[in-house]
């Protein structure tokens, strides 16, 4: 990924400390090769809603996310979007790995959903780290397996779960993550998460409101009197 726009960060030491908090095994890596790679790494801060990569673009660096959240998604010619996965601190990007390992263009789009802070390794240093550090290589492979499993589950849900159930489960997760009775989210944003149209989502949300599971407001969704989504326990 190539963050754009970029802001230089002055807190290099705190960023390295944050890196070791998220990836504690890396703190045990003391080889000279790894230390040199880390010395050359860039520390970047990127504002929310910045485009980090687009489908077909070259991947010019490898990103280790320290703070914030990144959404990786695909879209079609009609402007419909579908979220593939999100990257949070401690995760790695599956699409970046695919691009770097196979030397091919990025196959999706990526955007920062909040202000983010990242450590960037050049393409050359990513490959050096994979060869020089067993710790780094194991971390990458472990994260790769976790991301693939998450995506497989997501595709299973898409193929076999009814859309109304997927919407209800998504809302349940969002309420839990927000730790609030109110979500600041639009019907369009929900449709992008589920890979469907805004009109379909609006119709399903209206049914949930009729069941008193939610209350719809402009740009907001509130937990209703029922306080339980269909299918939840």
């Amino acid at each position: 990924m190539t963050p754009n726009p970029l802001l230089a960060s002055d807190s290099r030491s705190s960023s390295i400390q944050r890196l070791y908090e998220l990836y504690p095994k890396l703190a045990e890596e003391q080889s000279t090769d790894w230390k040199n790679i880390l010395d050359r790494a860039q520390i970047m801060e990127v504002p929310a809603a910045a485009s980090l990569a687009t489908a077909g673009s070259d991947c010019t660096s490898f990103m280790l996310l320290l703070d914030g959240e990144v959404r990786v998604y695909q879209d079609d010619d009609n402007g419909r979007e579908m979220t593939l996965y999100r990257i949070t601190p401690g995760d790695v990007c599956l699409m970046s790995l695919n691009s770097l390992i196979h030397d091919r263009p990025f196959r999706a789009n990526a955007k920062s959903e909040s202000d983010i802070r990242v450590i960037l390794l050049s393409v050359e240093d990513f490959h050096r780290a994979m060869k020089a550090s067993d710790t780094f290589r194991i971390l990458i492979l472990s994260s790769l397996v976790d991301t693939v499993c998450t995506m497989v589950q997501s595709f299973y849900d898409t193929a076999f779960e009814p859309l109304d159930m997927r919407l209800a489960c998504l809302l349940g997760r969002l309420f839990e993550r927000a730790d609030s009775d109110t979500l600041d989210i639009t019907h369009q944003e929900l449709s992008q998460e589920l890979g469907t149209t805004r009109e379909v989502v609006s119709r399903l949300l209206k049914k949930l409101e009729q069941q008193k599971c939610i209350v719809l407001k402009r740009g907001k969704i509130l937990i209703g009197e029922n306080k339980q989504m269909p299918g939840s326990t």
Side-chain angles (χ1 to χ4, degrees):
M1 290 184 182
T2 305
N4 180 35
L6 302 178
L7 299 174
S9 171
D10 297 325
S11 55
R12 186 176 187 87
S13 60
S14 65
S15 295
I16 298 301
Q17 181 60 39
R18 174 64 172 160
L19 174 71
Y20 289 153
E21 290 173 0
L22 294 168
Y23 310 91
K25 288 293 183 181
L26 287 181
E28 303 173 8
E29 178 59 74
Q30 296 298 317
S31 70
T32 300
D33 286 337
W34 170 250
K35 290 180 179 179
N36 290 338
I37 289 169
L38 202 54
D39 286 342
R40 289 191 294 268
Q42 292 181 289
I43 313 294
M44 299 290 180
E45 294 178 352
V46 185
S51 176
L52 306 180
T54 55
S57 62
D58 292 331
C59 188
T60 59
S61 60
F62 177 73
M63 179 182 76
L64 291 167
L65 184 64
L66 303 179
D67 298 296
E69 188 169 82
V70 173
R71 175 176 174 244
V72 180
Y73 64 97
Q74 288 184 328
D75 53 18
D76 61 21
D77 294 337
N78 297 319
R80 285 173 51 183
E81 296 180 2
M82 183 172 184
T83 299
L84 298 178
Y85 57 91
R86 282 182 168 80
I87 309 168
T88 57
D91 299 334
V92 298
C93 178
L94 178 65
M95 292 294 179
S96 290
L97 290 177
N98 179 65
S99 295
L100 291 171
I101 291 173
H102 296 289
D103 189 23
R104 60 177 52 148
F106 202 77
R107 292 189 170 184
N109 306 288
K111 182 178 292 186
S112 56
E113 291 210 306
S114 62
D115 294 347
I116 63 173
R117 182 171 47 140
V118 301
I119 290 182
L120 294 177
L121 304 183
S122 69
V123 174
E124 296 77 14
D125 275 339
F126 168 78
H127 289 294
R128 289 189 186 103
M130 289 291 283
K131 293 178 181 178
S133 172
D134 290 340
T135 302
F136 182 82
R137 185 167 58 254
I138 291 171
L139 180 152
I140 295 301
L141 293 175
S142 176
S143 297
L144 174 61
V145 170
D146 288 344
T147 302
V148 169
C149 289
T150 299
M151 291 185 67
V152 168
Q153 182 62 50
S154 175
F155 291 144
Y156 176 88
D157 292 342
T158 300
F160 297 105
E161 289 287 347
L163 187 57
D164 56 352
M165 188 63 67
R166 289 171 52 209
L167 175 60
C169 290
L170 173 61
L171 289 173
R173 291 195 301 270
L174 292 175
F175 277 119
E176 183 178 1
R177 187 169 66 179
D179 193 23
S180 170
D181 288 347
T182 302
L183 290 177
D184 293 316
I185 194 167
T186 66
H187 296 194
Q188 180 63 32
E189 289 169 333
L190 287 172
S191 71
Q192 292 171 354
E193 291 296 309
L194 297 170
T196 186
T197 64
R198 181 185 59 79
E199 291 77 13
V200 170
V201 166
S202 296
R203 175 169 50 82
L204 295 176
L205 287 172
K206 196 64 181 177
K207 287 184 177 180
L208 288 174
E209 186 176 45
Q210 291 169 352
Q211 297 171 19
K212 299 185 178 180
C213 296
I214 58 173
V215 176
L216 299 175
K217 302 289 185 181
R218 186 175 181 83
K220 298 179 183 292
I221 300 176
L222 288 66
I223 291 180
E225 296 177 15
N226 193 354
K227 293 185 179 296
Q228 189 173 20
M229 295 294 168
S232 62
T233 56

